[in-house]
Amino acid sequence: QELYNSGDRSLRKQVLHAWLISGSKNDVYQAALNAKSDDEANEAIKMLGVMGATEELRKLSDLKKPGHDFVDAYAISGDLAGLRRIAEGNGDIGARREAVRKIGIIDSSEARAALREIYTKSTNAELKRAALDGMLISGDEQGVLTLYRNTQNADDKRDLLRTLSHMNGDAALEAIDAALEGKQ
């Protein structure tokens, strides 16, 4: 702690890495909490993500406005609840959009369901697009196909079909065949 507090940027970074290796979540949390600059805080926040320190990240995001640094940390740590909190909040639309997209890297049925729910409930075109991007990242072909079959909106159908075609799976062909036959 003394080395971190008295050191220059390079030494601080080395101490953060040492704390990462030793699993010292509380020390990294304190470094983020007491950071003297945004860069210093961001570095510690990213370390917390790598450490899977979701509890510490959530405490920090209650104290600081969660932005892109928290989105990356939550994504790295696999914290679906943290990403949803940013995505569904009232913060910066860029951070919200990125949080929705990054839900796609969490490999779980809960994450895929969250993306479908965000897509279905969102009235914001940017967030809907981000949810589609997340489904593409996660490879949720069946989820996109289900959304395609259930929507009546022509623009949404076009976007969903375009996403299916990028997935290069059988679901896109299935949807195209059904459309040509006049079915859903």
Side-chain angles (χ1 to χ4, degrees):
Q1 190 69 47
E2 185 179 320
L3 282 173
Y4 185 84
N5 290 334
S6 64
D8 63 3
R9 180 178 167 89
S10 175
L11 182 59
R12 286 176 181 251
K13 210 170 192 175
Q14 290 176 22
V15 171
L16 278 176
H17 284 274
W19 285 333
L20 168 70
I21 292 166
S22 68
S24 301
K25 294 176 185 178
N26 190 54
D27 289 322
V28 178
Y29 169 77
Q30 290 299 321
L33 189 62
N34 300 319
K36 294 178 176 85
S37 71
D38 286 343
D39 286 343
E40 192 177 308
N42 290 343
E43 186 71 30
I45 288 167
K46 286 179 189 173
M47 276 305 163
L48 288 170
V50 171
M51 297 172 89
T54 56
E55 182 180 323
E56 290 82 357
L57 285 168
R58 289 179 187 171
K59 284 194 284 186
L60 273 175
S61 71
D62 287 340
L63 302 172
K64 299 176 181 264
K65 183 179 176 186
H68 294 282
D69 49 348
F70 282 97
V71 170
D72 290 340
Y74 284 139
I76 290 167
S77 69
D79 186 1
L80 176 59
L83 286 172
R84 283 199 77 161
R85 193 166 134 193
I86 293 173
E88 296 168 353
N90 294 322
D92 172 60
I93 189 67
R96 291 177 63 206
R97 188 177 52 239
E98 192 62 22
V100 172
R101 229 181 246 117
K102 290 204 173 167
I103 289 172
I105 68 171
I106 298 175
D107 188 24
S108 72
S109 58
E110 293 85 6
R112 289 185 287 281
L115 287 167
R116 286 182 236 130
E117 182 181 334
I118 291 167
Y119 179 86
T120 303
K121 290 183 177 180
S122 183
T123 58
N124 181 300
E126 289 181 62
L127 295 179
K128 283 181 86 115
R129 180 71 244 164
L132 278 180
D133 291 345
M135 286 185 267
L136 180 64
I137 291 166
S138 72
D140 188 12
E141 188 178 34
Q142 289 305 310
V144 176
L145 181 60
T146 299
L147 290 171
Y148 172 81
R149 288 178 174 156
N150 291 336
T151 189
Q152 299 302 314
N153 182 296
D155 290 334
D156 287 349
K157 275 203 177 293
R158 184 175 32 260
D159 288 343
L160 289 160
L161 188 56
R162 186 173 293 125
T163 301
L164 278 172
S165 69
H166 289 289
M167 293 177 147
N168 293 325
D170 292 338
L173 297 174
E174 195 178 312
I176 291 168
D177 286 344
L180 291 173
E181 293 173 10
K183 300 177 186 174
Q184 286 289 334

